Amino acid sequence: MTARLNNLALTECHKLCHRVVDGLCGREAPRRDDYNASWSLDEWLDLIESLAALFRLSVGNNSSDEEVLLRLSELSSSHSEAVLNVLQGRRQEICHSLLATTDSISSAILHDFDWQLQLALSSDKISSLQTPLLSLHLDIRENGGLNSFTMEMNREELNTLITSLEAANKVNKHRCDTSAATVEMNTDRKEEAVRWHGGEKNPSAHACQQASKQTELGYACAKL
């Protein structure tokens, strides 16, 4: 579908790609009226969706330049380079947007936690039990309010919790590392992003902060 970009002059191709990224990042998306002479409505919708999917997939998978150019094989070399140039210059913004979208799936945030180790000496069924239990207290912030939850876990349940937290932390750490790597990789392209957006910054470190909370909780529990 991206082959339709060949119908545009390079400057217009460059401009359209930037506008598509704007739309992905919550700003003004490209308008159909500006391209009536180039494509039909169906062609326009297919092209915009294809470009948006290309940017999301390339950033989400941390694709190399060679992989991106392979996906753009339908385009001329000059148009492919124009699309790649936009992706390289604004990769960090797209990454922040994807993280924010993922983060918005749930409004619940781990605000704080506390734990206490207890020893169950007996139960109504077993006279001598002596089972260590972890009492975990969570403060969850959601929709501006703070809710508290307390749970009691044995060793097996605790191990399951730690495994889940480590898996979630691994995913978030990968995303944070990817974002940090793209910042370094695109340092020499900042002038282009500043020119198009007036130096606007779009930080979204929330997912990284949540990963830190999860790591802290997992390590604290693991010491028991």
Side-chain angles (χ1 to χ4, degrees), residues 128-147:
S128 180
L129 191 61
Q130 294 190 358
T131 299
L133 297 174
L134 178 77
S135 179
L136 180 62
H137 180 83
L138 303 176
D139 290 330
I140 306 296
R141 185 175 299 280
E142 186 171 14
N143 299 324
L146 193 63
N147 301 315

Side-chain angles (χ1 to χ4, degrees), residues 16 19 28-36 44:
L16 176 60
R19 295 292 299 277
E28 185 179 0
R31 296 181 301 177
R32 160 83 173 106
D33 293 343
D34 295 335
Y35 299 92
N36 280 332
W44 165 257

Side-chain angles (χ1 to χ4, degrees), residues 44-113:
W44 165 257
L45 294 175
D46 286 342
L47 175 61
I48 297 305
E49 178 56 35
S50 296
L51 283 174
L54 171 72
F55 289 132
R56 287 194 299 264
L57 182 65
S58 299
V59 173
N61 292 341
N62 196 26
S63 300
S64 65
D65 291 353
E66 292 75 15
E67 291 172 325
V68 175
L69 290 174
L70 186 61
R71 297 190 186 109
L72 296 172
S73 58
E74 298 175 322
L75 294 178
S76 66
S77 59
S78 55
H79 283 76
S80 297
E81 288 294 336
V83 177
L84 180 61
N85 184 263
V86 172
L87 175 62
Q88 291 171 331
R90 303 188 63 186
R91 183 182 289 265
Q92 183 185 2
E93 289 181 75
I94 300 171
C95 182
H96 286 156
S97 177
L98 294 177
L99 286 172
T101 299
T102 302
D103 188 48
S104 65
I105 293 175
S106 174
S107 59
I109 300 171
L110 176 62
H111 177 73
D112 200 0
F113 71 94

Side-chain angles (χ1 to χ4, degrees), residues 157-200:
E157 293 168 332
L158 176 59
N159 287 335
T160 300
L161 174 64
I162 293 175
T163 300
S164 299
L165 290 173
E166 289 177 341
N169 180 60
K170 183 177 180 181
V171 173
N172 280 286
K173 186 177 184 300
H174 172 72
R175 290 173 176 167
C176 295
D177 289 347
T178 298
S179 178
T182 55
V183 172
E184 181 178 356
M185 181 179 65
N186 293 318
T187 298
D188 60 340
R189 302 180 186 274
K190 286 183 179 179
E191 292 183 359
E192 178 187 11
V194 171
R195 183 174 70 251
W196 281 92
H197 297 283
E200 179 183 354

